[in-house]
Amino acid sequence: MKNNMKISSAVIKRLPRYRRYLMELQKKNVDRISSNELSSLIGYTASQIRQDLNNFGGFGQQGYGYNINSLYKEISAILGLDQEYGMVIVGTGNLGQAIANYTHYYKSGFKVCAMFDVNPKLIGLRINDIEVLDYEDLDEYLKNNQTDIGIVCTNMSSAQEVVDKLCNGGVEGIWNFAPTDLIVKDGVALEDVHLSDSLHSLAYYINRNRQNQD
Amino acid sequence: MKNNMKISSAVIKRLPRYRRYLMELQKKNVDRISSNELSSLIGYTASQIRQDLNNFGGFGQQGYGYNINSLYKEISAILGLDQEYGMVIVGTGNLGQAIANYTHYYKSGFKVCAMFDVNPKLIGLRINDIEVLDYEDLDEYLKNNQTDIGIVCTNMSSAQEVVDKLCNGGVEGIWNFAPTDLIVKDGVALEDVHLSDSLHSLAYYINRNRQNQD
DNA sequence: GCATATTGAAAAATAATGTTATAATAAAGA
DNA sequence: TCTTTATTATAACATTATTTTTCAATATGC
């Protein structure tokens, strides 16, 4: 990274998006792109793109633009996607299973190593070749298996207890799908996916559009 | 609403969260709360809470605070959650099934009326009592069944085509889970849930924390 | 009726984004 | 080789968006 200044979360949220577009360009065998071309593709202004990237280093070349392969690699490295992550999923309902399948399908450095549930009907099953273990054994598992990310797919009422266990077990990040706000140990990253909040925002905009038509 | 001024999306994104906390307070039979108490609960500053709510009207009373039941109802109405929404899911893989189950479980005004897929093995199945129909018949279905929201759970390459069909079929909102950016018809609301982007941001923060420890 | 609590609303402060200007440099063409 | 053009990096500035501060107004509760 270029310097120690804190990068705003607005920038960080844009990085995965840059990366997605660069991946597409790679697939099309494009090998260079200017901030202007990227701008018309992604929709951010060219200067914002240049400024965003400049937070991390001067990846472009004057008169040339950005080399797609190397910029892709740089952004991947900034995001930490050049590394492997061991994950566990707690809560093996439909959503948990879907996430297991999702990360399985989008092969990458993120690997679900185990799943946990309290439901005896699920314990012992294999989903995408991942065993569903008894939630009782989560502490023990974390003690013996270094785990980077805990994925919370439980209901609201169990979520905080699960997160406490995960944090104490040494995970570095929580990916939370439970519809509640969680407290994590200092130094643990938290990323929420609040599906109901998302759906409710959508409802707001639908209604606003309806009202504008009157 | 108080006036015609456009409300910023930052405010809209907070509304579902206010509503969640108010729901919890209702369950605990609390009947009033001040912006200060709400603040220490939710984590936003008291003045932000007051200002957010004031965008839509003066729901509080000086010297008293906010009545929880009525504020809950107000926010629900602002979000359009006092209404019913008919939805279809396109793409009946694990994620599509999980979403179907999710909205089924969190009973509310959002009802999945049909699911669509191209996979003959899935067509004809019933998931949570919702029939999986042939994607070929989507246009026909939309013509005959007024549908408010289209949920896109396909892969990246099919997503835009699906969205075009949904928009032409008259949906008012798209809830997109495909890992790509979509173009919607004017007047149609779009809400993205980019799971991979979310996971990648998490990876960034995990790595930043790691580096800070050195 | 008075002290206190609390909102609503305006103003001020801060943060984020967008624009402009310029020097440096690579690419492309004469 | 030299010149022109394209384009980034960087800084300064402008604008817009968001958050915080401040304080008058008003309801509550003793």
Side-chain angles (χ1 to χ4, degrees), chain A residues 196-211, chain B residues 12 76-83 85 110 149 172-173 175 189 191:
Chain A
S196 63
D197 286 12
S198 167
L199 185 56
H200 293 172
S201 305
L202 179 60
Y204 171 83
Y205 287 108
I206 288 173
N207 277 277
R208 203 198 43 179
N209 288 345
R210 281 178 184 171
Q211 275 150 29
Chain B
I12 303 308
S76 298
I78 291 162
L79 289 170
L81 303 182
D82 50 354
Q83 290 165 59
Y85 298 89
F110 299 92
I149 294 173
E172 295 171 88
W175 202 19
E191 174 76 19

Side-chain angles (χ1 to χ4, degrees), chain A residues 49 82-83 118 212:
Chain A
I49 292 171
D82 50 355
Q83 291 166 58
V118 289
N212 285 352

Side-chain angles (χ1 to χ4, degrees), chain B residues 30-198:
Chain B
V30 186
D31 62 345
R32 68 184 245 195
I33 195 162
S34 71
S35 57
N36 257 297
E37 294 168 301
L38 251 183
S39 169
S40 58
L41 214 61
I42 306 193
Y44 305 139
T45 64
S47 71
Q48 180 165 61
I49 293 170
R50 289 204 300 276
Q51 208 177 47
D52 279 354
L53 298 177
N54 252 89
N55 281 302
F56 303 98
F59 302 135
Q61 278 193 306
Q62 283 101 331
Y64 175 88
Y66 297 88
N67 177 281
I68 286 167
N69 280 292
S70 74
L71 184 57
Y72 176 81
K73 273 187 206 137
E74 293 279 6
I75 293 182
S76 298
I78 291 162
L79 289 170
L81 303 182
D82 50 354
Q83 290 165 59
E84 304 266 309
Y85 298 89
M87 314 198 290
V88 298
I89 296 179
V90 183
T92 313
N94 285 60
L95 191 59
Q97 292 185 29
I99 303 298
N101 193 262
Y102 183 87
T103 52
H104 184 253
Y105 181 74
Y106 288 97
K107 285 187 194 67
S108 58
F110 299 92
K111 192 179 168 207
V112 178
C113 301
M115 301 176 77
F116 293 87
D117 210 292
V118 290
N119 184 346
K121 282 180 193 162
L122 292 171
I123 296 167
L125 288 184
R126 290 196 147 259
I127 292 166
N128 292 313
D129 215 36
I130 304 154
E131 201 174 0
V132 180
L133 304 175
D134 190 339
Y135 175 64
E136 297 263 301
D137 301 330
L138 177 58
D139 292 325
E140 186 69 16
Y141 176 92
L142 293 172
K143 208 177 289 172
N144 300 324
N145 301 274
Q146 206 262 305
T147 303
D148 302 294
I149 294 173
I151 306 177
V152 179
C153 296
T154 66
N155 59 23
M156 181 168 49
S157 52
S158 329
Q160 185 61 58
E161 180 205 306
V162 169
V163 167
D164 292 342
K165 273 187 198 285
L166 289 166
C167 288
N168 289 330
V171 305
E172 295 171 88
I174 299 283
W175 202 19
N176 173 44
F177 289 81
T180 185
D181 299 315
L182 298 169
I183 296 154
V184 292
K185 219 162 122 175
D186 210 49
V188 175
L190 171 66
E191 174 76 19
D192 288 304
V193 180
H194 283 159
L195 295 179
S196 62
D197 287 11
S198 168

Side-chain angles (χ1 to χ4, degrees), chain A residues 116-136:
Chain A
F116 293 87
D117 210 292
V118 289
N119 183 347
K121 283 180 193 160
L122 292 170
I123 296 167
L125 289 184
R126 291 196 146 261
I127 292 165
N128 293 313
D129 216 35
I130 305 155
E131 202 175 359
V132 180
L133 304 175
D134 191 339
Y135 175 65
E136 297 263 302

Side-chain angles (χ1 to χ4, degrees), chain A residues 89-102 115 151-155 176-179 193-195, chain B residues 94-102 106 177 195:
Chain A
I89 296 178
V90 183
T92 313
N94 286 59
L95 190 59
Q97 292 186 30
I99 302 299
N101 192 263
Y102 184 86
M115 301 176 78
I151 306 178
V152 180
C153 297
T154 66
N155 59 23
N176 172 46
F177 289 81
V193 180
H194 284 159
L195 295 180
Chain B
N94 285 60
L95 191 59
Q97 292 185 29
I99 303 298
N101 193 262
Y102 183 87
Y106 288 97
F177 289 81
L195 295 179

